[in-house]
Amino acid sequence: MKATEQLAPIPLSFADKLIEVLGIVALVWLWLETAYFQQLGQEQVPANYNFFETPSDYWASKMTFAVPLVATFFYIGISWFNYYNRDIDHLVDASTDKKRALIAINRRLWRWVKLNLIIIFLMIEYFSFHTGSNYGTGVPIWMILFFPLILFSPLIYFFIEYSKSQLK
């Protein structure tokens, strides 16, 4: 197959569609969670005071929306990269079937990365509010295992899938 030839679009499987829907639901949940915590924080802390009960200009309360904003930018950016990046289509000189399998694996990996990134931002927002407002006791011990697991398990899985497709 020549580098100038284009492959036909690869249709999304049910699992891919499910991952996309879960990512969008998690992103909406992040925005709703942040708005809810913002309202709780405004009820707890009098105007012009911070959580440490010292006077401030209270601008930091508006910064809670920075987490979902950054998460939204990441989500849109990764979606754009995953949809428009066609460089991977020509990196491997392989048969059409093998190349289609590699492209599908690569695109599915980016979908998982998007979902995991939003889940991590959800956890950060949740525990930062609970820690800062004395509702919780801080970040639990199980999070020390959860973060690396959610970050690296898709990478390991898709590396194995990629390796299997190379052996065919």
Side-chain angles (χ1 to χ4, degrees), residues 1 3 6-7 14 24 26 28 34-35 37 46-47 52 61 65 82 87 96 101 114 116 120-122 133 158 164:
M1 179 174 202
Q6 288 290 328
L7 292 173
F14 176 75
I24 292 170
V28 169
T34 304
F37 288 156
F52 301 109
S61 69
F65 289 104
N82 197 16
D87 294 337
T96 304
K114 280 192 310 189
N116 290 347
I120 288 171
F121 276 115
L122 270 166
S133 61
F158 286 109
K164 285 181 191 176

Side-chain angles (χ1 to χ4, degrees), residues 39-51:
Q39 294 303 316
L40 280 180
Q42 287 179 352
E43 291 172 6
Q44 284 184 334
V45 179
N48 299 325
Y49 285 86
N50 61 18
F51 279 112

Side-chain angles (χ1 to χ4, degrees), residues 5-155:
E5 294 177 20
Q6 288 290 328
L7 292 173
I10 300 170
L12 293 178
S13 68
F14 176 75
D16 290 337
K17 292 176 186 176
L18 183 64
I19 293 168
E20 285 292 331
V21 168
L22 287 175
I24 292 170
V25 167
L27 188 61
V28 169
W29 184 6
L30 177 63
W31 277 99
L32 293 175
E33 176 184 76
T34 304
Y36 175 72
F37 288 156
Q38 176 70 20
Q39 294 303 316
L40 280 180
Q42 287 179 352
E43 291 172 6
Q44 284 184 334
V45 179
N48 299 325
Y49 285 86
N50 61 18
F51 279 112
F52 301 109
E53 297 179 0
T54 56
S56 69
D57 54 337
Y58 205 60
W59 67 270
S61 69
K62 307 299 184 223
M63 292 300 292
T64 56
F65 289 104
V67 171
L69 188 62
V70 168
T72 303
F73 283 142
F74 276 138
Y75 190 87
I76 291 170
I78 293 172
S79 296
W80 180 84
F81 174 79
N82 197 16
Y83 185 76
Y84 288 109
N85 182 24
R86 301 292 183 221
D87 294 337
I88 191 70
D89 298 356
H90 307 295
L91 288 179
V92 179
D93 187 28
S95 67
T96 304
D97 292 336
K98 185 184 252 186
K99 192 175 279 196
R100 288 176 67 80
L102 295 177
I103 292 168
I105 291 168
N106 184 42
R107 302 247 163 89
R108 189 168 294 138
L109 170 66
W110 283 108
R111 284 186 187 91
W112 273 103
V113 167
K114 280 192 310 189
L115 176 62
N116 290 347
L117 188 68
I118 299 301
I119 290 171
I120 288 171
F121 276 115
L122 270 166
M123 294 295 185
I124 289 170
E125 187 72 15
Y126 179 81
F127 287 118
S128 65
F129 176 78
H130 279 28
T131 301
S133 61
N134 287 330
Y135 277 144
T137 57
V139 178
I141 298 297
W142 60 266
M143 287 298 290
I144 294 172
L145 297 174
F146 181 73
F147 275 128
L149 181 69
I150 198 169
L151 282 174
F152 297 115
S153 60
L155 296 174

